[in-house]
Amino acid sequence: MALLEAAAHVFAESGFEAASTRDIVTAAGLQQGALYHYYPGGKPELAEHVVELGFHMYAAPGSEPTHPNGLYLQMVVDASIALGYRTPRDKFAQAAARLATDQDQRTFGVLWNAYIPRVTAILQQSSEHGELLQGVRPAETAITWVEAFVGADLRYRKRLAEMPEAISRLNQTIVRGIATPETLVLLDASVERGALLYELEEEARVASDSTETVA
């Protein structure tokens, strides 16, 4: 894990091209050969693993809503604000965002390629449960929502502390255009919701790490 954490920090700060394998192994306190022992594909393979860890999606299609409001649309809002809140606090998320928008790398596009189908599936569930206005198209809405998130991430990359509030505003703007009035009054698109989800994710991660350590 030390190697992955070091890679996340170096990729987040320097990007793929400027990040050297020497910088990564030095930051991890390892020898140069350790990287290729764990990642025979070298820096590109390591970058792909960092992106995979950085783009955890809080809400997955097919699961049931966890918010007391019981809304499927809340699941999309949660996925967005959870990542928006996590990004300023997590080098994996920062590195993943930077690597996924580098058009010269294999990791380019991972964010939208992974999220759009999942968001589409959840919005379809939302539509089937009567949460969306008539005429709202889940697939087109998912593309717009994810593309808007990517744009906000790029804009606030140098001002990460402002990102949670920006994503909260983005989510509120989108849901006002797609949700029924009955759904809209129940949705929670606040920054505080992102903070709660972050806290729950961290508690789950610590519990998972503890279980693995005992095992």
Side-chain angles (χ1 to χ4, degrees):
M1 193 62 179
L3 182 58
L4 280 169
E5 291 177 349
H9 277 76
V10 175
F11 285 137
E13 297 299 323
S14 304
F16 184 87
E17 284 298 333
S20 71
T21 56
R22 183 179 298 277
D23 289 339
I24 293 170
V25 295
T26 299
L30 300 171
Q31 298 297 317
Q32 185 77 10
L35 189 150
Y36 294 97
H37 172 75
Y38 293 107
Y39 296 94
K43 191 168 70 166
E45 183 182 353
L46 181 58
E48 289 176 346
H49 197 175
V50 168
V51 169
E52 179 184 339
L53 292 173
F55 282 153
H56 164 73
M57 186 169 178
Y58 182 81
S63 60
E64 296 298 315
T66 58
H67 192 284
N69 63 27
L71 297 172
Y72 285 88
L73 187 55
Q74 183 70 54
M75 295 169 67
V76 182
V77 173
D78 283 354
S80 178
I81 192 60
L83 184 56
Y85 192 88
R86 171 171 291 280
T87 297
R89 298 163 174 79
D90 189 326
K91 285 296 182 181
F92 280 98
Q94 293 169 33
R98 185 162 184 171
L99 291 167
T101 51
D102 185 342
Q103 63 187 33
D104 295 324
Q105 305 308 324
R106 296 190 318 212
T107 49
F108 178 69
V110 169
L111 190 155
W112 48 91
N113 289 334
Y115 270 63
I116 288 174
R118 299 178 189 179
V119 173
T120 298
I122 298 171
L123 287 175
Q124 185 61 49
Q125 291 175 296
S126 179
S127 179
E128 292 168 357
H129 283 79
E131 298 171 5
L132 305 183
L133 294 170
Q134 187 174 2
V136 172
R137 299 177 179 177
E140 294 178 7
T141 303
I143 291 170
T144 300
W145 205 329
V146 174
E147 287 179 343
F149 185 99
V150 173
D153 170 76
L154 287 169
R155 182 182 181 193
Y156 289 95
R157 195 160 290 175
K158 296 292 187 181
R159 309 190 329 258
L160 284 174
E162 300 174 38
M163 189 171 174
E165 185 62 42
I167 297 302
S168 175
R169 289 196 306 270
L170 183 154
N171 290 341
Q172 291 177 52
T173 299
I174 291 176
V175 297
R176 280 197 294 267
I178 65 172
T180 64
E182 297 80 7
T183 299
L184 193 59
V185 297
L186 296 175
L187 285 170
D188 184 356
S190 66
V191 173
E192 289 73 23
R193 176 65 178 167
L196 173 61
L197 295 174
Y198 175 76
E199 181 180 329
L200 292 173
E201 286 185 319
E202 286 299 290
E203 289 176 356
R205 181 185 62 78
V206 170
S208 176
D209 290 347
S210 298
T211 301
E212 290 178 5
T213 300
V214 171

